[in-house]
């Protein structure tokens, strides 16, 4: 397929850039005993060219196929099989490195129960289930099912079965819950539906618990991840967009590293906290769901409108723009419409266009009754309806759809049966000893584990990592090259659970790494898309990235370097250098976090990505 060829070219460029950064800043001419060169002679351009010619995009593609062939959740049998694959590559007699090892740490992980799957349902006043969210994603390509596909869950969320009225709480920030409370909405004992972004996953549960919320649901909104596209023909497998049933798994632990051994490596002899008293875990049950189920919950639980109940349209909230919903029956209760006035959104069986602006002035007997069946998945809906209520009366500008709401006392039940377990998780380290300064380290790494198949995150990064190490290992075994300083390739374990592998490594070798590490290069996601380079880092690495990007040709358009192409998409004005590419800052979203925040080491994170000015909301 054409996109596979494009991907091959882009990952090749990403690999070249990685080599350019390592070699361009840290390589030395042939010979292990050559005196340290001056700064102006630090790069042997012949060796750089030789190395770059040996990179093969086809090998990267095959690496990616093998790495993503099966799900490899941290500590799973497949994850351990990939540990052995990396060791085998780095110990190869013809292309291996000077040394390779796979130290393991005993860490606390969290998994859903196989015997009692997590479940979210709408329950009627009589106790019957009127709607159930999916327990697994729709099987669109044959890869979404299987014994090794972990069902959607919130890692480290405590078990529990809370049940209560549904409240839409926007991003789940403390300000959002405060806003709800200010509006007079009773939060005690409710189930809060929130969308990703604005606050960390675990922070949503922490914020909710402060206001008495009993449970939290989290979904990924199409406006945030799909550029607003949500229908089946607009999403995977017809595009790269998240499908309606897709669920973003993730860790809800607030910190990083093994939860039971803070500031200590998780070795068997280390002191461990009491799991029941350890900080950072969500205080209430939480569960992620797909945006299709989130939409269904909101449709199913909107209140009846006659009497004093009403809707109010505002801005700044909600999927696609402005939504706040609650199933509570409270006088003058603001319940915001799904979307802006005039915004078309997809209803249960088709698009529903809202031109509604309900206010507290409309809670009269003339207010129309709009009801929706609780069992709507089995109902025959009109494919399109229009609510044109921009004038209080009359209400005859459009006919009302034949829809019925369930009783406003219907509640949402969230059943979470997660368990926490001590598991062994391995890092894999491959080492090339430096010729001049062997006690100075350049670390290049990414994590290995994934929630499911992990083709983009992290296997695209690991695929490039393996090819870089193969090329450098081949030169090493031939005796034609050795770097000035030592290079450490790292495949981190259990990153998805909270940067555990890299954090335990930095905690174990705190002093050596802090004193001797030159820089840490992180490449979890080598390729998002094929538009341009995206780089984030601390200020000292800017010149290194710029220099390498100028030397590597962009996969497209032809004739431009990666630097020249990058500056077309993302730039800033520098007082000293004029217009230069924009280098982003590092947060705490990947394995660079313990190096920069814990040890203060200069770090960078690089990837080839999409055109952000067009799709700014993707992957924030």
């Amino acid at each position: 397929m054409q996109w596979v060829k494009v991907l091959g070219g882009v990952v090749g460029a990403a690999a070249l850039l990685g080599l350019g950064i390592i070699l361009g800043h840290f390589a030395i001419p042939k010979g292990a005993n050559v005196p340290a060169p001056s700064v102006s002679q630090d790069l042997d351009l012949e060796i750089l060219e030789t190395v770059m010619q040996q990179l093969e995009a086809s090998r990267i593609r095959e690496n990616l196929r093998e790495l993503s062939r099966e799900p490899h959740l941290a500590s799973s049998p497949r994850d351990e099989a990939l540990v052995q694959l990396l060791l085998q590559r780095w110990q190869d007699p013809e292309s291996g490195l000077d040394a390779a090892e796979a130290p393991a740490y005993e860490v606390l992980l969290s998994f859903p129960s196989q015997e009692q799957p997590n479940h979210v349902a709408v329950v009627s006043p009589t106790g019957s289930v009127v709607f159930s969210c999916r327990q697994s994603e729709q099987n669109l390509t044959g890869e979404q099912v299987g014994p090794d596909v972990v069902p959607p869950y919130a890692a480290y969320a405590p078990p529990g079965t809370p049940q209560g009225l549904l409240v839409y709480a926007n991003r789940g920030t403390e300000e959002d819950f405060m806003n709800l409370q200010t509006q007079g909405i009773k939060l005690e004992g409710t189930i809060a539906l929130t969308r990703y972004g604005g606050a960390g996953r675990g922070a949503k549960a922490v914020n909710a618990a402060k206001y008495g919320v009993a449970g939290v649901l989290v979904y990924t909104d199409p406006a945030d991840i799909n550029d607003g596209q949500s229908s089946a023909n607009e999403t995977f497998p017809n595009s790269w967009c998240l499908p309606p049933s897709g669920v973003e798994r993730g860790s809800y632990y607030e910190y990083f590293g093994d939860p039971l051994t803070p500031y200590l490596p998780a070795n068997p002899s280390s002191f461990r906290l009491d799991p029941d008293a350890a900080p950072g875990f969500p205080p209430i049950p939480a569960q992620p769901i797909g945006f299709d189920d989130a939409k269904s919950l909101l449709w199913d639980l909107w209140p009846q409108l006659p009497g004093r109940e009403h809707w109010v349209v505002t801005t700044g909230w909600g999927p696609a723009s402005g939504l706040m919903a609650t199933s509570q029956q409270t006088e003058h209760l603001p319940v915001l419409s799904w979307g802006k006035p005039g915004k078309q959104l997809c209803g249960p069986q088709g698009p529903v266009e809202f031109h509604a602006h309900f206010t507290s002035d409309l809670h009269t007997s003339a207010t129309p009754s709009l009801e929706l069946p609780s069992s709507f998945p089995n109902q025959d809906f009109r494919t399109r309806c229009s609510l044109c209520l921009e004038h209080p009366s009359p209400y005859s500008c459009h006919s009302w759809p034949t829809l019925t709401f369930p009783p406003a006392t219907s509640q949402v039940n969230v059943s979470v049966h997660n368990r926490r377990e001590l598991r062994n998780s391995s890092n894999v380290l491959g080492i090339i000893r430096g010729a001049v300064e062997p006690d100075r380290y350049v670390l290049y790494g990414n994590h290995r584990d994934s929630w499911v198949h992990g083709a983009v995150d992290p296997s695209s990064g690991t695929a490039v990592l393996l090819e870089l190490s193969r090329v450098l290992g081949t030169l090493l075994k031939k005796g034609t090259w050795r770097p000035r300083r030592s290079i450490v390739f790292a495949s981190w374990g259990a990153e998805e659970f909270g940067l555990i592998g890299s954090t335990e490594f930095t905690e174990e070798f705190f002093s050596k790494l802090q004193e001797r590490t030159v820089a840490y290069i992180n490449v979890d996601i080598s390729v998002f898309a094929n538009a341009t380079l995206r780089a984030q880092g601390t200020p000292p690495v800017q010149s290194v990235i710029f220099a390498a990007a100028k030397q590597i040709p962009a996969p497209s358009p032809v004739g431009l370097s990666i630097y020249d192409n990058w500056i077309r998409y993302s730039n800033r004005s520098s007082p000293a250098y004029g217009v230069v590419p924009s280098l982003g800052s590092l947060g705490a979203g990947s394995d660079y976090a313990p190096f920069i925040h814990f040890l203060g080491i200069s770090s960078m994170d690089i990837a080839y990505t999409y055109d952000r000015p067009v799709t700014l909301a993707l992957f924030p």
Side-chain angles (χ1 to χ4, degrees), residues 134-192:
R134 286 180 171 272
Q135 291 179 281
S136 61
E137 285 133 316
Q138 185 179 357
N139 188 21
L140 299 171
T141 63
E143 298 171 319
Q144 288 75 44
V145 296
D148 297 327
V149 175
V150 67
Y153 77 112
Y156 297 108
T161 56
Q163 182 170 307
L165 299 173
L166 182 72
V167 174
Y168 180 78
N170 194 30
R171 303 286 190 180
T173 65
E174 189 157 6
E175 182 182 4
D176 290 330
F177 286 106
M178 186 181 300
N179 185 22
L180 286 168
Q181 190 176 67
T182 301
Q183 298 285 346
I185 295 173
K186 297 177 182 178
L187 296 173
E188 188 75 29
T190 60
I191 304 298

Side-chain angles (χ1 to χ4, degrees), residues 201-242:
R201 301 181 189 95
K204 296 177 192 294
V206 171
N207 295 335
K210 292 178 181 178
Y211 289 84
V213 172
V216 171
L217 301 175
V218 185
Y219 78 99
T220 306
D221 197 280
D224 296 326
I225 197 71
N226 286 359
D227 204 22
Q229 299 185 16
S230 61
S231 64
N233 64 340
E234 295 174 325
T235 57
F236 182 84
N238 299 306
S239 80
W240 72 326
C241 294
L242 184 75

Side-chain angles (χ1 to χ4, degrees), residues 25 67 82 118 127 140 212 257 263 273 289 296 304 434 437 452 534 585:
H25 202 59
L67 292 164
L82 294 183
N118 294 347
L140 299 171
Y263 303 107
L273 299 176
I289 60 175
S296 298
Q304 293 174 302
E437 299 177 82
V452 193
R534 182 210 70 184
S585 58

Side-chain angles (χ1 to χ4, degrees), residues 8-231:
V10 176
V11 295
L16 287 171
L17 181 67
L19 272 178
I21 290 174
I22 295 174
L23 297 182
H25 202 59
F26 308 113
I28 64 168
K30 176 182 174 181
N33 298 316
V34 175
S38 65
V39 174
S40 61
Q41 299 174 330
D42 196 45
L43 174 61
D44 187 318
L45 294 178
E46 279 190 26
I47 289 181
L48 179 60
E49 184 66 24
T50 299
V51 169
M52 291 186 174
Q53 288 175 355
Q54 294 184 25
L55 284 169
E56 298 180 26
S58 61
R59 287 181 180 268
I60 298 174
R61 189 158 49 242
E62 290 308 309
N63 288 340
L64 182 57
R65 290 185 189 278
E66 177 61 24
L67 292 164
S68 60
R69 181 166 53 86
E70 299 176 25
H72 43 285
L73 188 65
S75 77
S76 68
R78 179 58 182 170
D79 181 43
E80 290 305 309
L82 294 183
V83 169
Q84 298 307 312
L85 183 148
L86 285 154
L87 282 175
Q88 180 184 5
R89 297 284 185 93
W90 289 345
Q91 293 172 347
D92 186 276
E94 295 183 355
S95 60
L97 311 180
D98 288 325
E101 58 184 36
Y105 297 97
E106 190 178 35
V107 299
L108 187 72
L109 303 182
S110 170
F111 304 97
S113 170
Q114 294 181 341
E115 296 76 23
Q116 291 181 291
N118 294 347
H119 186 235
V120 177
V122 176
V123 180
S124 73
T126 61
S128 61
V129 174
V130 296
F131 173 74
S132 293
C133 292
R134 286 180 171 272
Q135 291 179 281
S136 61
E137 285 133 316
Q138 185 179 357
N139 188 21
L140 299 171
T141 63
E143 298 171 319
Q144 288 75 44
V145 296
D148 297 327
V149 175
V150 67
Y153 77 112
Y156 297 108
T161 56
Q163 182 170 307
L165 299 173
L166 182 72
V167 174
Y168 180 78
N170 194 30
R171 303 286 190 180
T173 65
E174 189 157 6
E175 182 182 4
D176 290 330
F177 286 106
M178 186 181 300
N179 185 22
L180 286 168
Q181 190 176 67
T182 301
Q183 298 285 346
I185 295 173
K186 297 177 182 178
L187 296 173
E188 188 75 29
T190 60
I191 304 298
L193 175 63
T194 66
R195 56 181 174 142
Y196 271 101
R201 301 181 189 95
K204 296 177 192 294
V206 171
N207 295 335
K210 292 178 181 178
Y211 289 84
V213 172
V216 171
L217 301 175
V218 185
Y219 78 99
T220 306
D221 197 280
D224 296 326
I225 197 71
N226 286 359
D227 204 22
Q229 299 185 16
S230 61
S231 64

Side-chain angles (χ1 to χ4, degrees), residues 232-317:
N233 64 340
E234 295 174 325
T235 57
F236 182 84
N238 299 306
S239 80
W240 72 326
C241 294
L242 184 75
S245 67
V247 181
E248 182 178 339
R249 297 153 178 81
S251 173
Y252 284 61
Y253 177 59
E254 284 206 279
Y255 309 127
F256 47 82
D258 172 49
L260 302 186
T261 59
Y263 303 107
L264 296 172
N267 295 322
S269 60
S270 292
F271 171 79
R272 281 180 164 75
L273 299 176
D274 179 353
D276 294 330
F281 295 130
I284 56 177
Q287 176 70 13
I289 60 175
F291 64 78
D292 200 40
D293 280 333
K295 177 180 62 180
S296 298
L297 289 176
L298 289 166
W299 271 110
D300 204 36
L301 290 177
W302 265 346
Q304 293 174 302
L305 297 178
R308 295 184 177 274
E309 291 72 45
H310 57 272
W311 295 352
V312 179
V313 178
T314 65
T315 59
W317 272 57

